[in-house]
Amino acid sequence: MAEYFKDISKIQYEGTESTNPLAFHHYNPSEVILGKTMAEHLRFSSCYWHNFCWDGSDVFGQGVFGRPWLQAGDEMQRAKEKANVAFEFFSKLNAPYYCFHDADVAPGGKSIKEYINNFAEITDVLEQKQAETGMKLLWGTANLFSHPRYAGGAITSPDPEIFTYGATQVYHAMNATKRLGGENYVLWGGREGYETLLNTDLRQEREQLGRFMQMVVEHKNKIGFKGALLIEPKPQEPTKHQYDYDSATVYGFLKQYGLEQEYKVNIEANHATLAGHSFHHEVATAVSLGIFGSLDANRGDAQLGWDTDQFPTDVPELTLVMYEILKAGGFTTGGMNFDCKLRRQSSDPADMFHAHIGGMDHLALSLRKAAAILENDFLADCVKQRYAGWSGNLGKAIQNGEHSLGSLADFAAANNIQPKHLSGQQELLENKINRVLFG
């Protein structure tokens, strides 16, 4: 298949003075910040699904992009054509990683045997394309939500045969991820939830999901997969309420089944906002709970109540996200995956590059700004001062279990304590952050 993006060369860093729309203006992969290059800090990844499996359709209209590899024809031949275009794009974008679902790369076929054979054949193709281009796999996963069989859930389905079919997909997707050198394996329970409690057994479904998560850990150890297992939280859509609502909910679930040391979270910005949180909140929560793993970097639309998967442009919020990541020591196996799609009217092939360049530049700028905050960390100084009392004798004694309610009541009366509120200085801190952001 001929080059699809034949008029586009590999994207390079040209700096802020450049007017070339097909160049990076802030993302300089080799620039060193806080001891690591931008490429090492950000670990950018592009997704297979929105870029190469979606033709611009929505619930009100058919596809508008006219991608040739999505036209009717031999399914396996089309899958190989899609792989050619995908790796052409990945290579020219100059990002080191990509991600996929099993259903993105290979047709499911008419039987489970066809699925297994098709996926194995395309795994060979992906391995060859990685060798040719130097691309690496950030993570793989299985699609347990698109097929009609999963209308009532996959792992939480009332039918154990549907559970088994889903488990089979995960088995093969994990094996392929290991073979392709994937650095993580992701589980997203898009249908693992309920529409109505009228026909749902919550205890039964949670038990099924907990046992499945244990099985995944067992298989990881059996095959010697060294990457991280990631759960991607989402509160709703497509189901009314999902069991992986947000990072805190995921942590509670993991604790219930003794899995808190086995899994981390893959946080998506747009999922955070659907849960009523900010992206910053979800990242900080995951870090505080010790389950921070990887990110799907995107954004939603404040006027739309669903997952719009737009490319990230909010530098102020992204700066605070990068600040949390840098404070925590940065990514280990995770990275910044663009789980994003073009707007339906952005129908030129070059728009795919413009979108990713913007996302990469905005995150690179945010990295610089976050590093600037850390170099003179007024936020950390404020927090330390605000909680200083907990480093004193009374605070330490409470934390160490040396007090009961009664002894605290006695202490308060004996010392006639009269504590006064001290300002949290929120507006001052916001002003300081804006001076870093905007000068």
Side-chain angles (χ1 to χ4, degrees), residues 168-186:
T168 302
Q169 285 187 239
V170 172
Y171 171 87
H172 288 284
M174 288 182 71
N175 292 348
T177 299
K178 178 182 182 292
R179 178 181 163 189
L180 295 170
E183 299 189 20
N184 309 269
Y185 184 83
V186 170

Side-chain angles (χ1 to χ4, degrees), residues 227-258:
L229 296 176
L230 305 176
I231 296 175
E232 182 168 328
K234 189 180 186 185
Q236 58 211 11
E237 192 218 29
T239 52
K240 182 178 180 180
H241 186 105
Q242 288 164 219
Y243 296 124
D244 50 6
Y245 193 90
D246 59 9
S247 293
T249 304
V250 168
Y251 184 75
F253 176 87
L254 294 175
K255 286 286 286 186
Q256 180 181 359
Y257 293 97

Side-chain angles (χ1 to χ4, degrees), residues 144 149-150 153-170 192 204-216:
L144 306 186
R149 75 174 65 89
Y150 298 131
I155 301 308
T156 58
S157 170
D159 184 341
E161 288 194 357
I162 292 176
F163 178 107
T164 301
Y165 204 112
T168 302
Q169 285 187 239
V170 172
E192 315 304 354
Q204 172 68 32
E205 293 197 357
R206 286 179 64 85
E207 289 296 323
Q208 290 172 209
L209 191 56
R211 177 61 193 126
F212 171 75
M213 293 299 181
Q214 292 166 346
M215 292 165 67
V216 169

Side-chain angles (χ1 to χ4, degrees), residues 247-291:
S247 293
T249 304
V250 168
Y251 184 75
F253 176 87
L254 294 175
K255 286 286 286 186
Q256 180 181 359
Y257 293 97
L259 295 168
E260 67 271 18
Q261 301 301 318
E262 303 291 350
Y263 286 91
K264 297 186 184 301
V265 286
N266 181 61
I267 297 168
E268 178 174 319
N270 206 170
H271 294 179
T273 52
L274 285 175
H277 306 311
S278 67
F279 193 15
H280 181 205
H281 164 91
E282 278 291 271
V283 172
T285 298
V287 169
S288 72
L289 293 171
I291 57 171

Side-chain angles (χ1 to χ4, degrees), residues 4-5 8 65 67 89 342 346-354:
Y4 183 73
F5 304 101
I8 298 174
F65 295 158
R67 310 299 195 205
F89 174 78
L342 297 173
S346 300
S347 53
D348 292 339
D351 288 328
M352 201 181 294
F353 285 92
H354 295 150

Side-chain angles (χ1 to χ4, degrees), residues 315 319 365-374 376 378-379 429-439:
V315 172
T319 296
L365 182 57
S366 300
L367 171 62
R368 284 204 191 100
K369 298 297 184 180
I373 294 173
L374 273 174
N376 180 22
F378 54 86
L379 293 177
L429 295 176
E430 290 170 342
N431 292 346
K432 288 185 173 183
I433 288 171
N434 280 338
R435 282 200 290 275
V436 173
L437 289 169
F438 306 111

